Amino acid sequence: MSWHQELLVSFDLETTGTDVERDRIVTAALIRLEGDGRAAGKRTWLLDPGVPIPEEAAAIHGFSTAYVREHGSVPATAIAEITEALADALRADIPLVVMNARYDLSLLDRECRRHGVPTLTERLGRAPAPVIDPLVLDKHVDRYRKGKRALQALCGHYDVRLDGAHEAGADAAAAAGVARRIGERYPAVTIPSPRALHELQEQAAAEQAASFQAYLRRSGNPQAIVEPAWPLIPYQPGT
């Protein structure tokens, strides 16, 4: 069987913003999904990130600074639990589905460093793999399709139900659904080995970054740099 017919673990974060170097985790969800899509387990976390949550971020995910200060967990404790849960899945070679993995996994890595918690790479003793990223896969199999490629747009395109967008658990389940639909529709990615699929996405993500960088430079930004690394942006001390 191919990866899309087997057990998957899907992961999602809701955060204070979009900067992987500076923003913080507010909520996280990890869901185990059987090959037929049935949920086989779910863990969620609510954190007090230790900084004010901007109003625009709270409007998206629904958690205010006051609420998380009263109900949220200590960041270091929760981040350690989240990272170890991901490590457990990857040690077992269960594919980890993460929509726009370059963002979520990099932000988690920086949170680990911020709070003195062993990173996912340190726990595994290797780079995180196998990861399945619906965003990278969709761009790979349907490169020239016009329109948005955010999770809600992909759910509409692939006819995947999304209940409660920007709730980490709902987004994680929907991301896995999109990944499975891509696997069903496109023979080019229905390969038995999740590790081989991971390597395919590493190359695809680098090619996509190079293409976008070239577009930006043609469009009046000659110094534009688009990060090619996937699924984790390398840490640069001092950033």
Side-chain angles (χ1 to χ4, degrees), residues 46-65:
L46 173 67
L47 286 67
D48 174 2
V51 298
I53 298 174
E55 290 185 5
E56 56 270 28
I60 293 171
H61 53 59
F63 292 100
S64 67
T65 301

Side-chain angles (χ1 to χ4, degrees), residues 74-88:
V74 174
T77 301
I79 290 161
E81 291 176 358
I82 294 164
T83 310
E84 184 60 21
L86 298 186
D88 280 345

Side-chain angles (χ1 to χ4, degrees), residues 128-146:
V131 175
I132 297 173
D133 188 335
L135 179 61
V136 172
L137 286 180
D138 177 63
K139 289 180 177 180
H140 177 67
V141 299
D142 200 354
R143 178 178 178 181
Y144 298 107
R145 187 179 78 250
K146 295 184 183 298

Side-chain angles (χ1 to χ4, degrees), residues 31 65 82 96 101 115-116 121-122 127-128 134 148 156 163-164 173 178 180 186 203 211 215 220:
I31 302 178
T65 301
I82 294 164
L96 178 65
H115 293 285
T121 298
E122 289 167 343
K148 296 180 179 179
D163 294 321
V178 169
R180 289 193 198 275
Y186 293 96
Q203 180 176 346
S211 176
Y215 166 78

Side-chain angles (χ1 to χ4, degrees), residues 6 10 28 38 63 72-73 116 137 140 142 177 208:
E6 299 184 353
S10 194
R38 288 182 296 112
F63 292 100
S73 298
L137 286 180
H140 177 67
D142 200 354
Q208 291 161 15

Side-chain angles (χ1 to χ4, degrees), residues 114-189:
R114 182 176 293 119
H115 293 285
V117 170
T119 67
L120 185 56
T121 298
E122 289 167 343
R123 291 168 192 269
L124 294 170
R126 56 178 172 81
V131 175
I132 297 173
D133 188 335
L135 179 61
V136 172
L137 286 180
D138 177 63
K139 289 180 177 180
H140 177 67
V141 299
D142 200 354
R143 178 178 178 181
Y144 298 107
R145 187 179 78 250
K146 295 184 183 298
K148 296 180 179 179
R149 296 183 191 251
L151 180 59
Q152 287 177 279
L154 293 187
C155 286
H157 180 73
Y158 289 103
D159 193 25
V160 171
R161 183 172 177 175
L162 174 55
D163 294 321
H166 301 296
E167 188 278 315
D171 284 0
V178 169
R180 289 193 198 275
R181 289 292 170 82
I182 294 173
E184 291 167 0
R185 290 189 187 183
Y186 293 96
V189 297

